[in-house]
Amino acid sequence: MTLFGLLEEYLREGTLNVQLPDGTRRRFGSGQPEAGIVLNEPSTLRRIAADPGFEFGQTYMEGGWTPGDEGLRPLLHLTMSNFAEMFAQQRRQPLGLVRKVLQQGNRVRRAYRNVSHHYDIDEWLFRRFLDDGMFYSCAYFAQPDMSLEAAQQAKCRHIALKLRLEPGMRVLDIGCGWGGLAMYLASEFDVSVDGLTLSQEQLRVAREECARRGLDDRVAFHFRDYREHREQYDRIVSVGMFEHVGQPYYGAFFRQLGELLKEDGVALLHTIGRTCGPGTTNAWLRRYIFPGGYTPALSELSAALEQTPLMVTDLEVWRLHYAETLAEWYRRFQSVRTEVAERFDERFCRMWEFYLASCEGTFRFWDQVVFHVQMAKRHDAVPITRDYLCRP
């Protein structure tokens, strides 16, 4: 089917104005919202129609099209909301074991390389659009008018309450990022924290910030894969790292979690997930942004956990929180876009803004959410009601 044929069939809510390379204009749909696209090259039509999931982002990076006056974000939101069901059918196609290993085969050495691809880009870039604590994961908008900074602190507090921390406890942070959560837990709850990361850039920044805050005696960061780590902990937390594990290694991850967690311990997994069944990762995102990445279905988490001594003691689903987080990251990125283009190039800017805006769309219109999975080995490891999460 041609691109115009796809638009005629699927565009039901809103209006898309299309300008062809020869200046001809066409209009699809009706009403609000309204967005536009300017096609700069004739081949763009054919390429997007042949493989919209990959070529929409690819041709944008290459300059094959530009958004209309409304901008990139409204264009992506209009198309993603209207094409949600078509893409959902593609994303629900489960992979066979061989393809899973090829796409998500995150053995230790490959895991280091995949993480480095994204997180070792440049501290300078991340400081331009993240909050001042450098949290590169979903914020928790406990109140609708919260700033990004306040929402990231609310996320940390929410996690801390679920961990049931007590002074003197040992905590492991698997995939500690830039170190913000580890330092928050140590300073606010008087615990000691070991953080694991596969990014040299994150390791350097986290260690420098830890020393600046005078937390070296309570927080230590290690360049280490979770499968290489030993020791035992009262509490274990992992935020935004599980998306890099890969489905073939879910069993190994939870078995290792069980080995590292004390018998009376509590663990919390914060991960992007999908509300539909097992599926695939978008090919463009997998190639340019998160190689080896995959967001799990709840059924995949459950199946892996059932083979370990760990039990689920609480499950929470965050729905639009990541959409709001990504919207703010996009806004901040756009405010410094000229600087980013000067430091990198226009192609990089197009890649990054397409990543942020399209990922927002997956949380706002598609099946992406965040799972908060609290785990323990004993029924009495956490209270039998959730009142403890309301502690002032």
Side-chain angles (χ1 to χ4, degrees), residues 208-264:
E208 289 176 359
E209 181 62 16
C210 187
R212 189 188 71 80
R213 297 190 194 182
L215 293 171
D216 300 77
D217 59 330
R218 282 177 284 167
V219 181
F221 296 107
H222 310 277
F223 186 62
R224 188 176 301 157
D225 187 88
Y226 68 93
R227 290 161 287 195
E228 301 171 312
H229 196 64
R230 299 297 179 262
E231 302 186 46
Q232 285 216 314
Y233 294 87
D234 302 291
R235 302 290 187 262
I236 300 177
V237 63
S238 183
V239 177
M241 171 271 178
F242 194 77
E243 300 89 331
H244 302 283
V245 169
Q247 193 276 335
Y249 301 94
Y250 287 175
F253 178 89
F254 287 119
R255 286 192 297 272
Q256 178 69 345
L257 205 66
E259 290 292 324
L260 298 171
L261 187 67
K262 291 182 180 179
E263 286 302 308
D264 60 349

Side-chain angles (χ1 to χ4, degrees), residues 30-80:
S30 62
Q32 295 296 320
E34 190 164 341
I37 182 171
V38 179
L39 299 169
N40 300 320
E41 298 176 9
S43 63
T44 301
L45 283 167
R46 172 183 49 79
R47 291 173 61 183
I48 295 177
D51 187 0
F54 180 78
E55 290 292 350
F56 202 31
Q58 183 70 24
T59 53
Y60 180 64
M61 285 174 58
E62 296 172 0
W65 61 268
T66 52
D69 294 339
E70 299 85 359
L72 176 65
R73 189 165 164 261
L75 171 63
L76 289 182
H77 289 188
L78 176 66
T79 53
M80 292 180 76

Side-chain angles (χ1 to χ4, degrees), residues 9-220:
E9 180 175 349
Y10 286 97
L11 201 70
R12 292 290 179 263
E13 297 182 7
T15 304
L16 178 63
N17 298 301
V18 179
Q19 179 176 316
L20 301 178
D22 64 3
T24 304
R25 298 176 184 271
R26 293 196 60 174
R27 188 177 178 90
F28 298 88
S30 62
Q32 295 296 320
E34 190 164 341
I37 182 171
V38 179
L39 299 169
N40 300 320
E41 298 176 9
S43 63
T44 301
L45 283 167
R46 172 183 49 79
R47 291 173 61 183
I48 295 177
D51 187 0
F54 180 78
E55 290 292 350
F56 202 31
Q58 183 70 24
T59 53
Y60 180 64
M61 285 174 58
E62 296 172 0
W65 61 268
T66 52
D69 294 339
E70 299 85 359
L72 176 65
R73 189 165 164 261
L75 171 63
L76 289 182
H77 289 188
L78 176 66
T79 53
M80 292 180 76
S81 61
N82 277 278
F83 284 81
E85 183 54 38
M86 187 188 85
F87 280 108
Q89 292 173 3
Q90 296 177 358
R91 287 163 55 81
R92 289 184 191 128
Q93 300 299 320
L95 294 175
L97 179 59
V98 173
R99 291 186 67 193
K100 282 182 182 177
V101 171
L102 289 174
Q103 293 186 11
Q104 307 168 34
N106 293 318
R107 293 182 179 274
V108 174
R109 183 175 297 180
R110 185 174 177 182
Y112 277 93
R113 186 169 65 250
N114 285 343
V115 168
S116 179
H117 172 89
H118 185 79
Y119 297 92
D120 283 339
I121 293 175
D122 193 337
E123 172 198 0
W124 180 93
L125 172 67
F126 292 96
R127 287 205 181 276
R128 293 303 176 278
F129 71 92
L130 298 181
D131 66 299
D132 54 15
M134 293 283 278
F135 288 98
Y136 193 32
S137 58
C138 179
Y140 184 63
F141 290 87
Q143 302 296 330
D145 58 347
M146 272 185 164
S147 67
L148 179 62
E149 281 71 18
Q152 291 291 11
Q153 292 299 300
K155 183 257 298 288
C156 292
R157 179 181 177 277
H158 199 57
I159 287 172
L161 292 177
K162 288 187 175 184
L163 289 173
R164 301 284 292 165
L165 297 171
E166 299 293 341
M169 283 184 169
R170 295 195 68 205
V171 180
L172 177 64
D173 183 358
I174 301 177
C176 61
W178 307 94
L181 177 62
M183 289 181 275
Y184 174 91
L185 298 179
S187 60
E188 297 294 325
F189 292 87
D190 194 23
V191 296
S192 62
V193 186
D194 284 330
L196 307 182
T197 179
L198 302 185
S199 164
Q200 289 282 13
E201 188 77 348
Q202 289 184 338
L203 181 71
R204 178 187 63 79
V205 173
R207 284 177 172 173
E208 289 176 359
E209 181 62 16
C210 187
R212 189 188 71 80
R213 297 190 194 182
L215 293 171
D216 300 77
D217 59 330
R218 282 177 284 167
V219 181

Side-chain angles (χ1 to χ4, degrees), residues 302-313:
S302 298
L305 269 167
E306 288 166 2
Q307 307 304 314
T308 75
L310 298 168
M311 70 177 80
V312 176
T313 51

